[in-house]
Amino acid sequence: ADQKSSITVAAAANLKNSFSEMGKAFTAKTGIDVTFVFGSTGELTQQVKNGAPVDLFAAADTKSITGLAGEDLIDKDSVKNYAQGSIVLVPSKSAKFQVKYLGDLKNKDVKIIAIANPETAPYGKAAQDALVAAGIWDKIKDKVVFAKNIDETLTYVKTGNADAAIVAKSLVYGSDQKYYEYKAWNQLYKPIVQALGVVKASENHESAVKFANFVTSADGQKIMKNFGYEIP
Amino acid sequence: MTDLDFRPLLLSLKVSTLATFFIILIGTPIGFVLARAKFKGKSILDSLFTLPLVLPPTVLGYYLLVAIGRQSPLGKLLENQFGINLVFTWQAAVIAAFFTSFPLLVRSAKAAFAAIDPNMENAARTLGRSELSIFFTVTIPLAWKGLMAGVVLAFARALGDFGTTMMVAGNIPGKTQTMPIAIYDAVIAGNTGQANVLVLVMTLTAIIIIIVLNTVEQKY
Amino acid sequence: MTDLDFRPLLLSLKVSTLATFFIILIGTPIGFVLARAKFKGKSILDSLFTLPLVLPPTVLGYYLLVAIGRQSPLGKLLENQFGINLVFTWQAAVIAAFFTSFPLLVRSAKAAFAAIDPNMENAARTLGRSELSIFFTVTIPLAWKGLMAGVVLAFARALGDFGTTMMVAGNIPGKTQTMPIAIYDAVIAGNTGQANVLVLVMTLTAIIIIIVLNTVEQKY
Amino acid sequence: MLHVQIQKKFAGFQLDVGFTVSSGVTALFGPSGSGKSVTLKSISGLLAPDQGEISLHDTVLFSSREGINVPPQKRRIGYLFQNYALFPHLNVAENIVYGIRHLPKEEQQEKRTKLIQMMQLHGQEKKKPGEISGGQQQRVALARTLATDPQLILLDEPFSALDSAVKSSLRAELLDILEAKNIPAIIVTHDLNEAYSMSDHITIIEMGRIMQSDNKWNIINAPANIAVAELTRAKNIFSGTIAKQEEMEKTGVNTSWGTFFLTPSSPFTPGKTIHFFIRPHHIQVFDPEEKHLPEENILEGTVTNIISHIDSHTLYLKKTSGPADDVVFVKVNDDLFDKLNLAKNSRVCCYFPPDCIGVIG
Amino acid sequence: MLHVQIQKKFAGFQLDVGFTVSSGVTALFGPSGSGKSVTLKSISGLLAPDQGEISLHDTVLFSSREGINVPPQKRRIGYLFQNYALFPHLNVAENIVYGIRHLPKEEQQEKRTKLIQMMQLHGQEKKKPGEISGGQQQRVALARTLATDPQLILLDEPFSALDSAVKSSLRAELLDILEAKNIPAIIVTHDLNEAYSMSDHITIIEMGRIMQSDNKWNIINAPANIAVAELTRAKNIFSGTIAKQEEMEKTGVNTSWGTFFLTPSSPFTPGKTIHFFIRPHHIQVFDPEEKHLPEENILEGTVTNIISHIDSHTLYLKKTSGPADDVVFVKVNDDLFDKLNLAKNSRVCCYFPPDCIGVIG
Ligand SMILES: Nc1ncnc2c1ncn2[C@@H]1O[C@H](COP(=O)(O)OP(=O)(O)OP(=O)(O)O)[C@@H](O)[C@H]1O
Ligand SMILES: Nc1ncnc2c1ncn2[C@@H]1O[C@H](COP(=O)(O)OP(=O)(O)OP(=O)(O)O)[C@@H](O)[C@H]1O
Ligand code: MOO
Ligand SMILES: [Mg+2]
Ligand SMILES: [Mg+2]
């Protein structure tokens, strides 16, 4: 009983706000404590691969989870898509030119545009895909700076060093940060579907499954919605 | 002002003190050998000891993770024999701090030992003292200032390590979340106020410790 | 084996060489003053110079970003007067490497200068040489070994800096992507093979440079 | 012309010296820890005195009153350090020309060649100080100082590490150079013979105070106080009270060793306590059986110890009836030593010639 | 009993020495750079010779043949370093007891007190080496060595930094201690007087070779070669060929200064080239107007320079018709100097007593 009373969850950085809520609700319901390890999906993948003692891994994509499942490090049966994220355009308060549309990024007063590193962060990949699809990537790519993860991307606009950034909606949804999003962008990049899975080596398998189920339950999905995610 | 969580500070102090302790224990003799012994390949060995400084901390952390993780021979041994998993424990943070910081002590120690007049040790030899006791009563005191400079550097670096610790020990509040990680979280989360408070606490702590170490430096 | 992009390596070498150059230029006199001058608050100043080592690199980077960024007085001045933007340029990477590494030189230099027999400089004084030329012809050569130890440390640290550079210079392939950032990307993206190749190249480069510096250390 | 009048305080040591140095060589002679090096450092400007004034040839180098403190670079005073202070990273030739780098290359070379010749350092030019012997190191230091043509040279025990063969020729050469260039010099030395044979003037320092500063003849023959007498190895020092003057020509002193007579003209009032001395080589030794002994100033004793020198022997004499610990030192030359067949426990008679007895103070 | 027979090669220097040291004090005397310190270091085990053997009291300390090299710690040989090598981080008292830390506390204390007393270091116990004078430093180093009761003591110029007052008493005390404890010692010195008065036996080294190792009387009076004669300051060395023997009792030598006669029994074949010497104090000086001059071994000259010592004067004599650069050194005592009224350019007559002329080799 004692063992079941606590689990450790590795969660992608974009989940920082939403999963903190999730944890509270889950503990209230089940009495099981949850500890979170936040990091970029890439870093967390490496940690899980090398036996970090986490019970569940919630990534910012599906690829990482299915990859780990393929290596038999994550329980195949437990893999679930639990949220779908989207990207938004964030102007810097201090920017000379306030962007509203992707096309505004071409403006000569927009000197620096921040996105997350497409190689390591799913949200960065989505941002790049969208800009390519919109046909403006080649015109602005010299103004683009890659941040390590989606968190640091936002820091660049917040400190006014980037004139605009493309970040995960969940990071700005409900905050006083101004941002823009349009339905039409959905066609520009593959949906950012986020998957989770229970770690094979977990000693708290049962509790981990409980948490996974809670995230995909109606209660859990409501919390995700509250933070700006779509339900997959 | 937010209610301050002192656990990261205490953890950081524990981790960096222990790491520095092991660094002194292992790095001092290595520095001595590098300063005194003459053997083939010394120069390469010497530069190998500096490598941890050259690798990006996260990458160093990655290699450590691979080396001590569950999939590694060491990790398997520990898990099967003692049921221990090092990854994501505060002990892992000590290991991370150890590897990032020990080049600093080794180099300082090497320079300090090389500067000693060999006649000092020769005099002690003719007075009949054993090599070991000469090392502790003559060599170490004469190298003291340089050694302490290395200790200060190593301790400071251990206190500030972020990337390596993050990789092998994770970021588990109350368990492996050290001060640098807490500060990083606060900065990135945009809690500038909290971040500044944490940085202030960290800075004051570091200044006090460095001043204390500087005083110890004056011992000889 | 993937086709190797040499730009990160060349950029890293350029950045860390320049940073080390400025560190030597500024850190050596500071180390000298800390070793010789007697003034109030020296101990605090001394520990302040060690602070960059204690702060997590990313946090140091954050403060630098705020300090030299486009919203800072300095940043505004540069942008309005000269149309220059420092952040996210390779110059910013030099600044980042400078701040992370210069405590290493300052400390080593301080220890090296403190160890010099003052009669050496006194002898040079009675021979009529100016204080400046004494500094270069007597003080520096006598402190050489310790200084070079500091230079090796600072250079290695500058070469390996990731967090701070990442924060103020960003990760712009071909422009600000240094070797550590490229390695990080490869590791985190799971390209273990490419990562190992990069680490090998980086390691060999570092070993060669350290061996060369070790040889220069023998100059006096 | 150098005037020094300075005070400097250290924990447990207080220097308070005043003296003048004219042309020629002055020896600064005193026991270890007496403040010789501190005095030299003050003169050269390496150490600032707490108080006082130093001037050289009418130029004020230091004055606490006027707030003057000329830096060592501008004083043109050469300094030879007690531990040489050679630059370990420069070779012998580079050390020598260190202070004349501003001169044209040929001039540097010329001076260097001359000094290497003078200091007998041929073949050592390319060696580092750590690779040459102690004596060679000292000669390099001397050459380095001389290269800068100083107005005054301070030498802190310049010959202590030299072997005697080199020493005597270097001494003579140094004196020649100083005389030829007319450079005044202060030589710190522990060796009284060196002080005497190298200098015109001797300044005696003890515990931070000048005991006597005078021409060398007076230092040896008319020491101002017991300290000076002891430091100049007067060796046999007696204290006594002036006896009643029986005859006009003689002044008698009653001591624990008996009564001794000074030179006729010594003007002392009876009853006064005085100190006098006689140097070991001035004491005349006779066989106790000898018939024609002087009538006065005779002392009989037993040889308790003998120290042999190359051309003489020092006898330690004890008087059976004398104070238990007191010893009279007598120096006899080889010939007499053999003639009298001296050995431990020999009994001898000594005569103190009155004109060789010096009164202290 | 110490046997040394070793070789050691350095760039530009080759040591190849063999000698034996019995009880008592042996002086190792030689010019700077001759290999004295290297020899001492080899004996103490601080430096391994390339070849050879060292044994002390039948214990082999080093043998290249048998592959033995006893570490310095186990040799029980005390060493006094030329630059003291005091531990700068320990105070005077701590330095002194450094080698006897394994003894009971009271015993350490007792030894320390005794040594501080003997070395006149009262009140300095708590000072660091950097805070005491050079002479005091040397005494601490001596005390530190003596504390360990070594079987043999090696002293590398132990008295060079001492002032003469302390020096002579320390010399006498050191000899007493060595004699009382029956510790054999090797003293390296540059000072011939010191070598002579402190030792029984003198070993002369030059350029890495032993020139002569003998009792001190022979060293002074029968130098094995010119190097020894020069090093022992024979000063006046002449070379000449043996003249045809006119009478049985006399051996004449023709030199560029004229013909000199040796003692009657000198057995040399005519035509042979020999070297001989006479020490400055053995030369007798006369007024040239003097009537009763000896008939032979007379040399007339002009005084070109005078060096004054406390009780004597050294005259530099040149013969008008002699070789241009050659000088004869003559030492005269105060009395004679005054009597003959000597000064620069005085003309004097010198007599070389045949029994004071030493033949070299
Ligand atoms: N920097 C200093 N700080 C404190 N005390 C000092 C300092 N320099 C010298 N002294 C003290 O001043 C006194 C005189 O020292 P100094 O070196 O002048 O002696 P010295 O006459 O040159 O002796 P020696 O002949 O042994 O070299 C000593 O008692 C020494 O302890
Ligand atoms: N470690 C060494 N490496 C190379 N050469 C050395 C070394 N030690 C000594 N020598 C050489 O050996 C020779 C003898 O040196 P040593 O120190 O024994 O002379 P010394 O007789 O003690 O002279 P001094 O009286 O001046 O001290 C010197 O020419 C010196 O250059
Ligand atoms: O939340 Mo991420 O994995 O940094 O885009
Ligand atoms: Mg001195
Ligand atoms: Mg020597």
Side-chain angles (χ1 to χ4, degrees):
Chain A
D2 206 13
Q3 280 203 333
K4 280 178 195 167
S5 65
S6 114
I7 56 169
T8 305
V9 171
N14 66 76
L15 298 167
K16 229 175 236 174
N17 303 335
S18 52
F19 265 37
S20 300
E21 278 293 315
M22 189 77 71
K24 274 181 215 150
F26 177 69
T27 306
K29 191 177 167 202
T30 63
I32 301 171
D33 280 332
V34 192
T35 305
F36 291 104
V37 182
F38 293 108
S40 77
T41 301
E43 283 184 13
L44 292 173
T45 304
Q46 296 302 335
Q47 288 170 333
V48 170
K49 254 190 199 166
N50 286 284
V54 294
D55 301 301
L56 184 134
F57 177 22
D61 58 4
T62 53
K63 199 178 72 191
S64 308
I65 298 294
T66 51
L68 288 169
E71 289 180 53
D72 216 19
L73 292 166
I74 272 184
D75 210 333
K76 280 198 184 71
D77 302 338
S78 69
V79 175
K80 281 182 185 142
N81 296 342
Y82 62 95
Q84 181 177 334
S86 55
I87 53 172
V88 295
L89 181 63
V90 180
S92 164
K93 250 185 244 160
S94 56
K96 217 176 194 173
F97 182 87
Q98 293 288 315
V99 294
K100 275 188 186 154
Y101 311 103
L102 286 182
D104 292 347
L105 294 174
K106 292 185 286 188
N107 187 293
K108 72 167 175 35
D109 282 333
V110 179
K111 289 187 170 134
I112 290 170
I113 303 157
I115 68 170
N117 187 349
E119 297 262 328
T120 57
Y123 284 92
K125 178 84 176 100
Q128 189 184 31
D129 287 350
L131 291 168
V132 172
I136 55 176
W137 173 255
D138 282 339
K139 293 178 187 117
I140 62 157
K141 71 169 191 269
D142 286 344
K143 303 199 272 189
V144 172
V145 53
F146 296 152
K148 192 167 83 178
N149 55 34
I150 204 66
D151 279 1
E152 289 184 13
T153 313
L154 186 59
T155 305
Y156 286 156
V157 258
K158 276 192 175 163
T159 56
N161 284 294
D163 297 304
I166 298 174
V167 302
K169 182 181 177 185
S170 60
L171 288 179
V172 289
Y173 186 77
S175 76
D176 52 8
Q177 176 71 51
K178 195 189 264 179
Y179 67 91
Y180 300 94
E181 61 172 337
Y182 303 96
K183 275 266 152 49
W185 290 2
N186 289 341
Q187 267 75 61
L188 297 177
Y189 61 94
K190 277 192 225 119
I192 309 166
V193 178
Q194 308 197 175
L196 57 72
V198 173
V199 175
K200 241 283 158 68
S202 167
E203 287 166 4
N204 308 303
H205 209 270
E206 215 175 298
S207 306
V209 170
K210 267 188 196 159
F211 183 78
N213 289 337
F214 182 74
V215 173
T216 47
S217 72
D219 287 351
Q221 294 291 297
K222 202 174 142 204
I223 293 173
M224 294 310 285
K225 266 193 183 155
N226 288 344
F227 282 90
Y229 292 97
E230 313 273 323
I231 302 308
Chain B
M1 193 155 302
T2 41
D3 200 13
L4 213 59
D5 180 0
F6 275 104
R7 290 175 308 169
L9 181 63
L10 295 178
L11 178 65
S12 267
L13 290 176
K14 176 166 87 174
V15 166
S16 46
T17 305
L18 267 172
T20 309
F21 173 77
F22 287 115
I23 288 170
I24 295 172
L25 215 64
I26 299 171
T28 311
I30 290 177
F32 184 73
V33 170
L34 288 179
R36 296 294 175 81
K38 279 176 191 150
F39 53 89
K40 253 194 162 157
K42 186 174 119 174
S43 196
I44 290 172
L45 191 71
D46 184 312
S47 57
L48 278 180
F49 282 119
T50 315
L51 273 191
L53 214 60
V54 181
L55 290 176
T58 313
V59 175
L60 177 65
Y62 169 75
Y63 284 111
L64 279 178
L65 190 64
V66 171
I68 67 168
R70 264 200 199 145
Q71 312 300 322
S72 70
L74 178 70
K76 279 189 180 137
L77 182 86
L78 285 175
E79 179 144 26
N80 296 337
Q81 297 295 313
F82 311 99
I84 295 172
N85 183 10
L86 274 178
V87 181
F88 279 24
T89 59
W90 67 266
Q91 287 90 341
V94 174
I95 295 176
F98 176 89
F99 279 97
T100 46
S101 312
F102 101 122
L104 298 176
L105 181 97
V106 169
R107 268 237 154 224
S108 306
K110 182 191 151 194
F113 287 128
I116 296 177
D117 175 1
N119 263 358
M120 289 295 160
E121 287 147 340
N122 278 342
R125 282 190 189 105
T126 64
L127 293 167
R129 294 286 286 259
S130 72
E131 293 295 329
L132 197 70
S133 85
I134 291 171
F135 184 75
F136 284 108
T137 58
V138 174
T139 314
I140 292 276
L142 292 179
W144 191 252
K145 280 210 161 65
L147 284 175
M148 284 309 295
V151 169
V152 168
L153 288 179
F155 183 83
R157 181 84 183 76
L159 201 60
D161 182 60
F162 169 70
T164 317
T165 305
M166 183 81 182
M167 202 69 192
V168 295
N171 173 5
I172 308 177
K175 225 180 115 198
T176 66
Q177 191 185 57
T178 59
M179 202 67 180
I181 296 173
I183 294 175
Y184 174 81
D185 276 2
V187 165
I188 296 306
N191 297 334
T192 323
Q194 198 198 343
N196 288 343
V197 172
L198 289 177
V199 165
L200 199 71
V201 169
M202 177 95 165
T203 303
L204 286 179
T205 310
I207 289 181
I208 291 171
I209 291 168
I210 292 171
I211 289 178
V212 169
L213 288 177
N214 273 344
T215 317
V216 179
E217 190 181 315
Q218 302 307 320
K219 186 176 160 196
Y220 293 112
Chain C
M1 194 155 299
T2 40
D3 202 14
L4 213 60
D5 180 2
F6 276 105
R7 292 176 305 170
L9 181 64
L10 295 178
L11 178 66
S12 266
L13 288 177
K14 176 165 87 173
V15 166
S16 45
T17 305
L18 267 172
T20 309
F21 172 76
F22 287 116
I23 287 170
I24 293 172
L25 215 67
I26 299 172
T28 311
I30 290 177
F32 184 73
V33 169
L34 288 179
R36 296 294 175 80
K38 279 178 190 148
F39 53 89
K40 251 192 163 160
K42 186 174 119 173
S43 195
I44 289 172
L45 191 71
D46 183 313
S47 55
L48 278 180
F49 282 117
T50 315
L51 272 191
L53 214 60
V54 181
L55 289 177
T58 312
V59 174
L60 177 65
Y62 173 77
Y63 283 112
L64 279 178
L65 191 65
V66 172
I68 67 167
R70 293 163 71 192
Q71 299 309 312
S72 69
L74 178 69
K76 279 191 176 134
L77 182 85
L78 285 176
E79 183 147 18
N80 297 336
Q81 297 295 314
F82 310 99
I84 295 173
N85 181 15
L86 268 183
V87 287
F88 309 131
T89 61
W90 68 267
Q91 288 89 341
V94 174
I95 296 177
F98 177 88
F99 279 97
T100 46
S101 311
F102 101 120
L104 297 176
L105 183 97
V106 169
R107 277 247 144 212
S108 305
K110 182 191 151 195
F113 287 129
I116 296 176
D117 175 1
N119 263 359
M120 290 293 159
E121 285 146 341
N122 279 341
R125 281 189 189 104
T126 64
L127 293 167
R129 295 287 285 259
S130 71
E131 293 294 330
L132 197 70
S133 85
I134 291 171
F135 183 74
F136 284 108
T137 58
V138 174
T139 314
I140 292 277
L142 292 180
W144 192 252
K145 280 210 161 64
L147 285 175
M148 284 309 295
V151 169
V152 169
L153 288 178
F155 182 83
R157 181 86 183 76
L159 200 61
D161 181 60
F162 169 71
T164 315
T165 305
M166 185 69 215
M167 202 72 193
V168 295
N171 173 2
I172 308 176
K175 227 178 110 194
T176 65
Q177 192 186 56
T178 59
M179 202 66 179
I181 294 173
I183 294 175
Y184 174 84
D185 280 3
V187 164
I188 296 308
N191 298 334
T192 323
Q194 197 198 344
N196 287 343
V197 171
L198 290 177
V199 166
L200 200 71
V201 169
M202 176 94 166
T203 302
L204 286 178
T205 310
I207 288 181
I208 291 170
I209 292 168
I210 293 171
I211 289 179
V212 168
L213 288 176
N214 273 344
T215 316
V216 179
E217 189 181 315
Q218 301 308 319
K219 185 175 162 195
Y220 294 111
Chain D
M1 189 78 138
L2 173 80
H3 287 283
V4 178
Q5 178 66 58
I6 50 170
Q7 280 122 53
K8 176 88 192 171
K9 213 175 171 139
F10 286 119
F13 180 77
Q14 162 106 48
L15 184 81
D16 185 353
V17 295
F19 59 92
T20 298
V21 168
S22 330
S23 60
V25 177
T26 299
L28 187 58
F29 178 77
S32 79
S34 58
K36 301 184 296 295
S37 295
V38 170
T39 303
L40 285 206
K41 286 207 173 109
S42 301
I43 296 172
S44 67
L46 296 173
L47 197 81
D50 298 333
Q51 285 253 281
E53 191 171 302
I54 301 171
S55 64
L56 177 64
H57 300 318
D58 304 324
T59 313
V60 177
L61 297 178
F62 176 84
S63 166
S64 53
R65 203 162 35 81
E66 295 176 45
I68 295 174
N69 189 9
V70 177
Q73 281 92 339
K74 296 257 152 24
R75 294 196 180 193
R76 298 198 53 207
I77 296 179
Y79 199 113
L80 194 78
F81 285 81
Q82 204 168 359
N83 59 354
Y84 322 139
L86 292 179
F87 304 126
H89 57 293
L90 301 181
N91 68 28
V92 165
E94 289 164 343
N95 261 283
I96 292 175
V97 296
Y98 184 83
I100 51 171
R101 281 296 191 194
H102 55 284
L103 299 181
K105 273 263 170 294
E106 317 83 71
E107 210 170 319
Q108 286 181 34
Q109 178 143 359
E110 192 183 309
K111 282 200 163 188
R112 195 186 62 202
T113 313
K114 232 166 93 186
L115 286 163
I116 282 174
Q117 160 89 28
M118 183 186 297
M119 298 298 161
Q120 304 173 26
L121 287 166
H122 313 275
Q124 313 295 322
E125 291 92 336
K126 293 268 164 287
K127 290 191 184 167
K128 294 282 169 72
E131 297 164 359
I132 56 175
S133 76
Q136 289 167 336
Q137 285 179 29
Q138 200 167 41
R139 278 179 271 153
V140 175
L142 198 52
R144 186 178 67 174
T145 301
L146 289 173
T148 61
D149 289 326
Q151 287 193 302
L152 168 69
I153 296 191
L154 309 176
L155 305 104
D156 203 344
E157 309 201 32
F159 303 113
S160 63
L162 297 174
D163 45 279
S164 28
V166 178
K167 197 188 288 198
S168 59
S169 72
L170 259 188
R171 272 183 193 157
E173 282 199 80
L174 181 67
L175 285 181
D176 280 354
I177 297 160
L178 295 177
E179 200 174 332
K181 302 201 171 179
N182 200 14
I183 312 178
I186 303 179
I187 295 192
V188 163
T189 177
H190 279 134
D191 181 342
L192 184 62
N193 285 322
E194 184 168 289
Y196 194 85
S197 57
M198 292 225 41
S199 71
D200 314 307
H201 195 99
I202 296 179
T203 299
I204 296 201
I205 184 170
E206 189 173 43
M207 285 168 51
R209 298 281 181 293
I210 301 297
M211 293 285 129
Q212 193 171 358
S213 181
D214 211 334
N215 73 57
K216 63 181 174 185
W217 195 93
N218 282 338
I219 293 284
I220 297 300
N221 296 294
N225 49 49
I226 295 187
V228 173
E230 278 176 349
L231 288 170
T232 58
R233 281 186 286 150
K235 287 279 191 183
N236 303 307
I237 300 175
F238 302 85
S239 70
T241 45
I242 303 292
K244 295 231 171 67
Q245 246 150 302
E246 293 152 33
E247 309 171 39
M248 275 307 283
E249 307 111 87
K250 282 182 185 172
T251 306
V253 192
N254 298 322
T255 75
S256 54
W257 290 78
T259 301
F260 293 93
F261 293 93
L262 309 181
T263 49
S265 54
S266 309
F268 294 107
T269 36
K272 187 176 185 315
T273 299
I274 66 156
H275 298 273
F276 65 91
F277 70 96
I278 180 161
R279 293 188 181 272
H281 67 276
H282 284 135
I283 296 176
Q284 294 175 16
V285 180
F286 300 91
D287 190 323
E289 312 301 311
E290 170 85 38
K291 292 283 159 349
H292 308 289
L293 284 176
E295 285 166 24
E296 290 162 341
N297 287 7
I298 285 292
L299 184 141
E300 258 198 64
T302 310
V303 175
T304 60
N305 201 356
I306 299 172
I307 301 274
S308 298
H309 315 291
I310 295 174
D311 56 357
S312 60
H313 305 262
T314 298
L315 313 179
Y316 289 53
L317 284 195
K318 269 207 175 134
K319 193 188 177 192
T320 337
S321 59
D325 270 353
D326 284 10
V327 173
V328 167
F329 297 92
V330 182
K331 199 166 181 181
V332 296
N333 66 27
D334 258 355
D335 295 342
L336 189 64
F337 187 80
D338 291 346
K339 206 177 89 187
L340 295 182
N341 217 339
L342 292 174
K344 261 192 190 178
N345 298 322
S346 299
R347 288 188 52 247
V348 292
C349 253
C350 295
Y351 169 60
F352 293 10
D355 58 345
C356 289
I357 294 180
V359 175
I360 296 170
Chain E
M1 190 79 141
L2 174 80
H3 288 282
V4 178
Q5 178 66 57
I6 50 170
Q7 281 122 54
K8 175 89 192 173
K9 210 174 174 144
F10 286 119
F13 180 77
Q14 162 107 47
L15 185 81
D16 185 352
V17 295
F19 60 93
T20 298
V21 168
S22 331
S23 60
V25 178
T26 299
L28 186 59
F29 178 78
S32 79
S34 58
K36 303 185 294 296
S37 296
V38 171
T39 303
L40 284 205
K41 285 205 174 112
S42 301
I43 296 172
S44 68
L46 295 173
L47 198 81
D50 298 332
Q51 286 253 278
E53 190 170 304
I54 300 171
S55 64
L56 178 63
H57 299 318
D58 303 326
T59 313
V60 177
L61 297 179
F62 176 83
S63 165
S64 54
R65 203 162 34 83
E66 297 177 43
I68 295 175
N69 189 9
V70 177
Q73 283 91 338
K74 294 260 155 12
R75 294 196 181 193
R76 298 200 52 207
I77 295 178
Y79 199 114
L80 195 78
F81 285 82
Q82 203 168 359
N83 60 355
Y84 322 140
L86 291 180
F87 305 125
H89 58 292
L90 301 182
N91 68 27
V92 165
E94 289 163 345
N95 261 284
I96 293 176
V97 296
Y98 184 82
I100 51 169
R101 281 296 192 197
H102 56 284
L103 300 180
K105 273 261 170 296
E106 315 84 71
E107 210 170 319
Q108 287 183 33
Q109 178 142 0
E110 192 183 307
K111 282 199 163 188
R112 194 186 64 203
T113 314
K114 232 165 95 184
L115 286 163
I116 282 175
Q117 160 88 28
M118 182 186 297
M119 298 298 162
Q120 305 172 27
L121 288 166
H122 312 275
Q124 313 294 324
E125 291 92 335
K126 294 265 165 288
K127 290 192 183 165
K128 293 282 170 71
E131 297 164 359
I132 57 176
S133 75
Q136 289 167 335
Q137 284 178 28
Q138 201 168 39
R139 278 179 272 154
V140 174
L142 199 51
R144 185 177 68 172
T145 301
L146 288 174
T148 59
D149 288 326
Q151 286 193 303
L152 167 70
I153 295 190
L154 309 176
L155 304 105
D156 202 343
E157 309 201 31
F159 303 114
S160 64
L162 297 174
D163 46 279
S164 28
V166 178
K167 198 188 286 198
S168 59
S169 72
L170 259 189
R171 274 183 191 157
E173 280 197 82
L174 180 66
L175 286 181
D176 280 354
I177 297 160
L178 295 176
E179 200 174 334
K181 302 202 173 180
N182 200 15
I183 311 179
I186 302 178
I187 296 192
V188 163
T189 177
H190 279 134
D191 181 343
L192 183 63
N193 286 323
E194 183 169 289
Y196 194 85
S197 58
M198 292 224 41
S199 71
D200 313 308
H201 196 98
I202 296 179
T203 299
I204 296 201
I205 183 170
E206 190 173 42
M207 285 169 50
R209 299 280 182 292
I210 300 298
M211 293 286 132
Q212 192 171 1
S213 182
D214 210 334
N215 74 57
K216 62 182 174 186
W217 195 92
N218 281 338
I219 293 284
I220 297 299
N221 296 295
N225 49 48
I226 294 188
V228 173
E230 277 175 348
L231 289 170
T232 57
R233 281 187 284 151
K235 287 278 193 187
N236 303 308
I237 301 176
F238 302 85
S239 69
T241 45
I242 303 291
K244 297 230 171 65
Q245 247 151 303
E246 294 154 31
E247 309 169 40
M248 277 307 283
E249 307 110 86
K250 282 183 183 169
T251 305
V253 191
N254 299 321
T255 76
S256 54
W257 291 78
T259 300
F260 292 94
F261 293 92
L262 310 181
T263 48
S265 55
S266 310
F268 293 108
T269 36
K272 188 179 186 313
T273 301
I274 65 157
H275 299 273
F276 65 90
F277 70 95
I278 181 161
R279 295 186 179 273
H281 69 277
H282 283 135
I283 297 176
Q284 293 175 16
V285 179
F286 301 90
D287 190 323
E289 313 299 313
E290 168 85 38
K291 293 281 158 347
H292 308 290
L293 284 176
E295 284 168 21
E296 290 164 340
N297 288 5
I298 286 291
L299 185 141
E300 259 198 63
T302 310
V303 175
T304 59
N305 202 356
I306 299 172
I307 301 273
S308 298
H309 315 291
I310 295 174
D311 55 358
S312 61
H313 305 264
T314 298
L315 314 179
Y316 290 52
L317 284 196
K318 270 207 175 132
K319 195 189 173 188
T320 338
S321 59
D325 269 354
D326 284 10
V327 173
V328 167
F329 298 93
V330 182
K331 200 166 182 180
V332 297
N333 68 27
D334 257 356
D335 295 343
L336 189 64
F337 187 81
D338 291 347
K339 206 177 89 188
L340 296 180
N341 217 340
L342 292 173
K344 261 194 191 180
N345 298 323
S346 298
R347 287 189 52 248
V348 291
C349 255
C350 295
Y351 170 60
F352 293 10
D355 57 346
C356 290
I357 294 180
V359 176
I360 296 171

